[in-house]
Amino acid sequence: MIIYHRSQDIDRHLREIQKQGTTVGFVPTMGALHHGHLSLVEEAKQENDVVVTSIFVNPTQFNEPDDFKKYPRTLAPDADKLIRANCHFLFVPSEDDVYPEKEMRKQKFDLGGLDIRLEGAYRPGHFKGVAQVVSRLMDIVHPDTLYLGQKDFQQFRVLEYLLLTLQKRPVKVKAAPIVREEDGLAMSSRNVLLTDEERKSAVILNQCLQKTLDSSRQHAPEPLQATIEELLLAEPMIEELDYFELVDAETLKPIHHWEDAENVVALVAAKFPSARLIDNTLVKESGRFRTTL
Ligand code: AMP
């Protein structure tokens, strides 16, 4: 695996091999790698000649300085995992390389309203930062296919809109299913921050999504949403339930009837004392996404 730290070096190398017809799959991450990230690398490897993974903890997408500070940073073991996964390139840029000019940190994109609700409402500016970093990384890596996880479902939709609809880039954007721990908790770099007690109770998120899926034939969306909200609110380790919603997977707007959308996703965000966790599952699915439970 070749490790690059400077954008111009990896840019040049990738352009050279792409000229010869080599296809490039790209997996952007913030590091603290787990099997969820590695599943994206695996899928990218199967579908491309070479795979690039980037590790960059992007300051502009953190709305709370403390969250940025305590985000796990584990570069050496991450690089080992990528070598073992036979990843071809690792890109670890500095902040100055990603944002060489101050204005780049202020750059705003019109994200079609997909950035306003759900995570957007609770993490102001978050998707602006995600759009900035991914847009910049796409300029440097210019992959044939970008691999994202359904774990960050809203992020996937926002980036699909940014890269394909708004910027019309010649890239395929793929969403991969959520990889979970044995007890169902969605893998996340933030899980290591949980205490033992929080970790045990965090499985409630997956259980509630499973229950939503199981009950979706017998109940209309709104009463079902209210029942699941009650279950989550009754969990003592959850300090705040930011949201549990059933939405159209395309527009991310709430549905009132199951027939309102072809694809329906249930999304949850909850604050535990040591970390805020998100999870989701497709409740109704037409083949565009892959089920995640
Ligand atoms: P992050 O490092 O958290 O920014 O995540 C980098 C990429 O990995 C994103 O596209 C995430 O959606 C994806 N990802 C994170 N956790 C998982 C998971 N448990 N299963 C599948 N993909 C994931």
Side-chain angles (χ1 to χ4, degrees):
M1 184 172 76
I2 306 177
I3 303 179
Y4 278 114
H5 292 281
R6 289 175 0 143
S7 56
Q8 71 247 47
D9 297 338
I10 190 164
D11 176 24
R12 193 181 317 119
H13 190 156
L14 292 174
R15 274 188 204 287
E16 266 166 29
I17 60 173
Q18 280 175 310
K19 244 190 262 160
Q20 292 151 17
T22 301
T23 56
V24 175
F26 179 37
V27 182
T29 81
M30 297 205 299
L33 301 182
H34 50 65
H35 290 293
H37 299 113
L38 297 175
S39 76
L40 298 177
V41 172
E42 201 46 53
E43 192 160 331
K45 244 174 35 190
Q46 280 168 21
E47 298 176 357
N48 299 272
D49 298 322
V50 301
V51 179
V52 180
T53 301
S54 66
I55 295 180
F56 178 63
V57 185
N58 173 37
T60 73
Q61 72 187 70
F62 285 82
N63 47 316
E64 285 178 18
D66 195 42
D67 189 23
F68 176 62
K69 233 191 328 183
K70 72 179 191 189
Y71 199 85
R73 289 159 171 90
T74 54
L75 185 57
D78 286 351
D80 279 348
K81 286 178 191 168
L82 290 169
I83 289 169
R84 267 181 270 133
N86 294 317
C87 178
H88 305 85
F89 295 93
L90 169 58
F91 179 42
V92 192
S94 67
E95 253 183 74
D96 286 346
D97 203 340
V98 174
Y99 301 115
E101 290 148 36
K102 264 198 181 144
E103 292 73 58
M104 293 172 101
R105 291 168 183 263
K106 294 188 195 132
Q107 193 178 9
K108 277 193 181 161
F109 299 92
D110 177 358
L111 299 169
L114 292 168
D115 56 326
I116 292 164
R117 304 193 63 255
L118 303 161
E119 287 300 279
Y122 288 90
R123 303 186 65 191
H126 169 64
F127 288 117
K128 179 179 137 237
V130 169
Q132 286 170 344
V133 73
V134 174
S135 189
R136 173 80 176 118
L137 290 171
M138 291 294 289
D139 288 343
I140 298 165
V141 178
H142 31 81
D144 298 274
T145 309
L146 174 69
Y147 293 84
L148 301 169
Q150 266 170 222
K151 161 76 172 31
D152 298 278
F153 191 88
Q154 187 174 11
Q155 170 172 283
F156 165 69
R157 287 291 301 119
V158 164
L159 290 176
E160 211 181 26
Y161 180 84
L162 170 75
L163 302 173
L164 303 182
T165 308
L166 199 64
Q167 300 182 331
K168 303 199 182 334
R169 290 184 191 249
V171 64
K172 287 192 271 293
V173 181
K174 290 196 124 187
I178 301 178
V179 177
R180 297 178 178 281
E181 302 287 355
E182 237 166 62
D183 65 359
L185 178 68
M187 289 192 182
S188 161
S189 304
R190 286 191 169 85
N191 291 351
V192 297
L193 303 172
L194 300 170
T195 63
D196 288 350
E197 201 183 351
E198 289 165 18
R199 170 64 188 82
K200 271 188 209 129
S201 106
V203 72
I204 181 109
L205 302 183
N206 173 253
Q207 286 167 349
C208 280
L209 293 171
Q210 185 73 59
K211 199 171 169 65
T212 307
L213 196 57
D214 295 344
S215 315
S216 59
R217 284 185 189 278
Q218 295 100 39
H219 301 282
E222 279 155 344
L224 180 56
Q225 185 170 314
T227 307
I228 301 294
E229 264 169 8
E230 260 177 52
L231 281 176
L232 289 162
L233 288 168
E235 168 54 48
M237 290 313 288
I238 294 184
E239 279 185 332
E240 266 172 71
L241 177 64
D242 282 353
Y243 57 81
F244 170 78
E245 283 200 40
L246 290 159
V247 304
D248 180 335
E250 305 301 333
T251 63
L252 302 179
K253 289 190 179 144
I255 53 149
H256 305 289
H257 311 278
W258 294 115
E259 303 74 43
D260 289 352
E262 240 183 283
N263 297 289
V264 176
V265 61
L267 298 139
V268 62
K271 278 197 194 104
F272 291 77
S274 310
R276 180 177 179 279
L277 302 182
I278 59 171
D279 198 352
N280 70 79
T281 191
L282 269 301
V283 178
K284 184 180 164 189
E285 215 270 319
S286 69
R288 170 155 143 68
F289 301 98
R290 281 170 279 178
T291 40
T292 53
L293 287 180

